[in-house]
Amino acid sequence: MHKLRELKDITQNCIVLCVDDDEAVLDFLRDALSDLFKQTLTAKNGAEGLEIFRNNKIDLVITDQIMPVMNGTDMIREIKTIEPKVPVIVMTAYAEIDILVNAINMDVTQFLMKPVKLPNLLNAIETAIQRVIVERQKFIQQEAELLRYKEKYNNLQQKLTFKKQQNIIQDDLYYNLLEINREGKRVQWLINMRYRPHDILSGDFYTVRKLGDKNVLLYIADAMGKGLNAFVTTAIVTSSMNFFIDNAVSSNNFDQGRFIDDFLSFAKKNLSQDEALCAVLVFVDFKEETLEVVNFAMPSLFIETCEGEILKIPNNSLPIMRFTEGYKIDRYELKGFKKMLICSDGVYDTSYVAYIEDDFRDSPFKGIFFNKFISRVKEPEDDATFIFLKRIEYEPLWTKTFVINSRLNEVQQLTIDIENFLTELSMDTIFIVEFINALSEVLMNAYEHGSLNITYQKKNRLVKEGMYEEHLLEIEKTINKKITTTLEAFRDSGRSFLCLRVLDEGEGFDKSIIKESVRDTELMHYRGIKIVKGIVDEIYYNDKGNEVILLKQYAEDNQSIVN
C-alpha cells in the first residue's frame, strides 16, 4: 500500500502527534502529513508532547529521541501508561542499542533514521497505522457483538414481558361457544377478542371470565399514559381482579356489588395522585338475557339489535382516580341484541372514529371488523383492544349432513365427497382448496384425538417411530364411534357463509390448553388448529370440546341451494 491515496483512505480520520525540537523537522512533517491525516499536532519537546497527548485523542505518535525538558523515551513511557496500544514511530540520528532496546520494550516497532525521507516515512506510517485500524475494527466488532447481545437480551425481555401479560389476561371462553337452550331452541353466543398492543408494555388489558354457568364478565382496562407506568397499573389491577374472581367463583360466593366495590377500592389504592384508570365491566347473564354495565370513562359500547338498529351505550362513571367516589350501573335487556362491541380508545383512533359505526354494522364477526380497522388505520397511535359479542342464530339456506364410522378410510373418503359436493355447487376453486384443508385438519382431530383418544405426546412418539398409521388402523378396530359432519350455508350482514360442524363421540378436551400454543408461534403443539385458524373466519368449540364449528365466507355469486 504505497500509494498516497490508498494510505489516506486509512489515515483521513486519524490524528497524528509529531514531537521534535527541530523546527525544520516539524515543518517537514506538517507539510507531509497535513493532507494525509484529519489533524496534525506538533510539540517541541517530550513534556509538550505529553500534555497534548493527554488532552487529545491521538491515533499515532511520531517523535524524536533526544530533546530538552523530556526526551522521547520518557515521553513514550508516560504515553504508554495512558494508552498502551497507541503506535509510536521513533526518529533518531543515532543507532544507539540501549535506546532501541528501551523503545522496543515499550512496544515501539517502527524506527526512522534522520534525515527522514518521505517514502520511508510513508512506509513506517502505513505499517504503524495498520495496528490502529486492526484495533479499531476489533473494537467495532466488540461493540457490534455487545449491541447484538443487548438487542437479543431486550428481545427476550420483551417476549417474556408479553408472555407475562398474556398470563395476567384471563379468557375462560377462549375458542368456546356458549350455548343456551330456550324453549326447545338452541341459542349460541360467540365472544371473541382482538388485542393489538402499540408497544410491548401495553396499557391495555382485557379479561373474559365465567362467573357461573351462563354468567360472564367482559372487562377492558386502559391506564392513561404509555409505557412502563401504564403497564404496571393495569397489570396490578387486572391481576387482583382475577384473583378476586377466582376466590369467589371457587367458593360459589360471587357477589357482583361487593366485587365492584373491592375492584374500585383496590384500583384507587394502587394509583398515584396524578394517575387515572379507565375501565369497563360488562356483566352478561345469558340465561336471563340481561346486561349490566359499569363504564369508568371508557368509549361507548356499540350494539346492533335484531332489527338492525345501532345503539350506543355511553360511559356512566368517572375515570378511576385516588379520590373517585361511587359508580353507576346501567341495566339492559339482551334479548333483542344481535351483536355488541366493547373497545378501548385505541379503536377510536382519530382517523377511524368516522367509520367505526358503519364498519361495526357491516361486520358479522370479529375478524371482518378487525380487517376493516387495520385497512383504515395503518399505524395506530395507541393500544387497540376490543371484545366482539355475537349471537349465532340463523335460518340456513341449506343443510347437508354426513355420518361416518371412525375409520381412517372413511375419513379420507368423506374429504373427497365434500370436495366433490362443493364443486357441484360451483364454489370458487380457491375457496374449495382452503375449505378442504381446514376440513381435513378438523376431521383428523376428531378421528385421532376424539374417537381414538390419542394424545399429542403419544402421536408424536409413534410418528417418530414410523408406527403411527399402523397404530391407527389397529386401534380403530376396537372403536365403535361415529363422526357427524354438517354443512350449512347462511347469510349475515349481506355476506354468505359456509358453516362446518364436526361432532365426534369422544370425551372432548380442555380448550384452554390450546391458548398458549396458538399465541406462541414457536410451539408446535396443536399446529393443525393454527393452520385452520389462518384459513377460516371463525373457529370455536362447544362446552364439552367434542364439536368444532368453522365459519368461512364464500363469494356472493355462489348462491346454490341444496334440496
Side-chain angles (χ1 to χ4, degrees), residues 69-102:
V69 185
M70 178 183 284
N71 63 33
T73 300
D74 292 340
M75 182 192 71
I76 293 169
R77 184 177 295 109
E78 293 297 323
I79 284 175
K80 288 293 186 177
T81 62
I82 300 170
E83 180 50 70
K85 294 184 179 180
V86 66
V88 178
I89 299 174
V90 172
M91 303 178 296
T92 181
Y94 310 97
E96 297 183 11
I97 299 300
D98 291 343
I99 294 175
L100 295 177
V101 170
N102 286 335

Side-chain angles (χ1 to χ4, degrees), residues 448-490:
E448 297 170 329
H449 307 302
S451 297
L452 305 190
N453 196 28
I454 298 174
T455 64
Y456 169 80
Q457 293 78 7
K458 186 174 184 179
K459 175 181 177 178
N460 192 45
R461 176 177 58 81
L462 290 169
V463 168
K464 288 181 179 179
E465 295 172 355
M467 300 288 292
Y468 188 55
E469 185 170 340
E470 180 180 338
H471 179 76
L472 293 178
L473 297 176
E474 186 63 31
I475 197 173
E476 70 177 23
K477 297 176 183 178
T478 64
I479 300 298
N480 186 27
K481 294 177 180 179
K482 305 290 186 181
I483 298 175
T484 302
T485 301
T486 303
L487 293 176
E488 292 178 329
F490 69 94

